[in-house]
Amino acid sequence: MNIIEIKGITKVYDIKTMPFKALNGIDLSFEQGEFVAIVGPSGSGKTTLLNIMGGLDMPTEGEVMIEGVNISRLSERKKTNFRMNNIGFVFQAYNLIPVLTAKENVEFILQLQGVTPDYVEERALKLLTAVGLGDKADRRPAKLSGGEQQRVAVARALASRPRFILADEPTANLDSKSTENLLEIMEKMNREENITFIFSTHDARVMKKARRVITIEDGKVIEDVQKE
Ligand code: ADP
Ligand code: ADP
C-alpha cells in the first residue's frame, strides 16, 4: 500500500477575486521508507503541495489518500485527529513554543495523545537524545542554535510515532554544518526506523541526499527521478 497517494490535485487560490492555479493536475504516490526531495523555483507550489499531502490544506480538486484513508472525506475534527496521529511536520521556521523548554515542546505533543506522564517524559528524553540534544533538554528555544531548534522540531514531529514526516525547507535557515547534522539525523531515522521523509529544498547538497527527486514547476510535476 502506498503511504500517500494523491490524484488529480489542483489548487486554485483567490477563487473570487483573481484565481491563481498554484497546483495543476498533480498525481504522486509514495511508499513507506522513501527519502524524497521536492525541488523547484520559489512559487512553484512546493509548500502548497506539502500542506495538501499532510491534510493542512484542502485541494480545489483531486483526492488525497493517506495510509489508505481519503482525508477529504473526514470531518474537520477527525482530520485533525488523524493528522496528529499519523503525520509529522517540520517547518522552515521551527515553530517551537518559546516559553517551553525543548523537552516540554516535545512533551506537549505527547500529552495530546493521552499517554501516562512517566511515558511522556521518558519518550521526550529519548527523542531528544536521538537528535543529539539529551543534554540540552531543559533549554528554551532562544538558548538553542537554529540547528538545535530544528532538531527539537524533528524530535517533536516524531513524538506521535508517525510513519512519515513532511518537511518544508527544513534547512533553509541553517548553516552548512547544522544542515549536515540535521540530514544525518533524518537519514538515520529513515534507515533504522523506516520513517518516510518528504522534504522540499532549494539546497543542492540536501537534494543530493535524496533517493528520489521530484521537480515542480508552475504547479506541475516536470520530473520525478528515482536514484540507484
Ligand atoms: P513554493 O513553496 O514552491 O515557493 P508555494 O506553494 O508557496 O510555492 O506557492 C505557489 C504559488 O501560490 C505562489 O505563486 C504563491 O504566491 C501562491 N500562493 C501560495 N499561498 C497562497 C495563498 N494563501 N493565497 C494566494 N496565493 C497563494
Ligand atoms: P548548530 O551547528 O547545532 O546549529 P552552532 O554551531 O550554531 O550549533 O552553535 C554552537 C553551540 O552554541 C551550540 O551547542 C549551542 O548550544 C550554542 N548556542 C548557539 N546559539 C545559542 C544561543 N542563542 N544561546 C545559547 N547558546 C547558544
Side-chain angles (χ1 to χ4, degrees):
M1 188 183 72
N2 286 318
I3 191 162
I4 305 177
E5 190 162 355
I6 61 174
K7 277 190 208 145
I9 295 294
T10 298
K11 178 70 179 182
V12 180
Y13 284 118
D14 286 339
I15 295 177
K16 295 210 176 74
T17 49
M18 215 226 267
F20 176 80
K21 215 174 229 187
L23 295 179
N24 189 0
I26 297 210
D27 303 303
L28 283 172
S29 54
F30 299 91
E31 286 170 20
Q32 182 71 36
E34 287 199 90
F35 202 72
V36 188
I38 297 181
V39 304
S42 177
S44 56
K46 302 181 296 295
T47 300
T48 304
L49 178 62
L50 283 168
N51 287 345
I52 287 176
M53 291 202 302
L56 286 175
D57 195 0
M58 291 316 267
T60 309
E61 285 170 58
E63 276 203 344
V64 181
M65 304 283 291
I66 299 175
E67 314 235 22
V69 173
N70 186 335
I71 58 162
S72 346
R73 302 228 176 101
L74 299 179
S75 65
E76 261 330 292
R77 194 178 53 85
K78 282 199 173 144
K79 202 160 60 196
T80 304
N81 267 330
F82 181 83
R83 209 164 49 221
M84 256 173 27
N85 291 322
N86 294 281
I87 309 170
F89 288 99
V90 173
F91 302 95
Q92 180 174 335
Y94 326 133
N95 291 8
L96 301 177
I97 301 172
V99 296
L100 301 182
T101 64
K103 184 152 76 72
E104 287 164 348
N105 265 283
V106 180
E107 285 176 344
F108 176 65
I109 298 297
L110 291 161
Q111 278 150 5
L112 298 175
Q113 315 244 306
V115 291
T116 65
D118 282 353
Y119 175 81
V120 166
E121 176 153 33
E122 183 195 317
R123 175 118 176 101
L125 267 178
K126 210 175 255 178
L127 285 164
L128 286 169
T129 305
V131 297
L133 291 175
D135 56 336
K136 290 177 184 162
D138 293 324
R139 291 200 195 180
R140 291 196 178 157
K143 296 285 179 198
L144 296 168
S145 72
E148 290 169 337
Q149 288 182 58
Q150 194 58 304
R151 283 188 270 148
V152 175
V154 170
R156 182 184 56 181
L158 290 164
S160 56
R161 297 186 182 277
R163 293 205 295 158
F164 67 94
I165 289 194
L166 299 173
D168 193 7
E169 304 254 4
T171 64
N173 293 314
L174 305 184
D175 60 26
S176 59
K177 184 178 132 258
S178 307
T179 295
E180 213 173 285
N181 267 337
L182 187 74
L183 274 168
E184 266 171 32
I185 286 160
M186 286 164 55
E187 287 179 308
K188 183 165 182 279
M189 306 253 164
N190 174 258
R191 203 168 50 236
E192 293 177 4
E193 310 207 21
N194 205 32
I195 293 170
T196 310
F197 280 89
I198 304 171
F199 48 90
S200 63
T201 186
H202 268 111
D203 187 333
R205 286 162 307 175
V206 175
M207 187 181 106
K208 272 201 195 117
K209 301 274 184 180
R211 292 197 300 277
R212 175 179 172 192
V213 178
I214 296 171
T215 309
I216 310 275
E217 242 178 70
D218 298 328
K220 290 190 182 133
V221 173
I222 59 157
E223 200 172 58
D224 186 348
V225 180
Q226 199 90 42
K227 294 188 206 159
E228 288 152 89

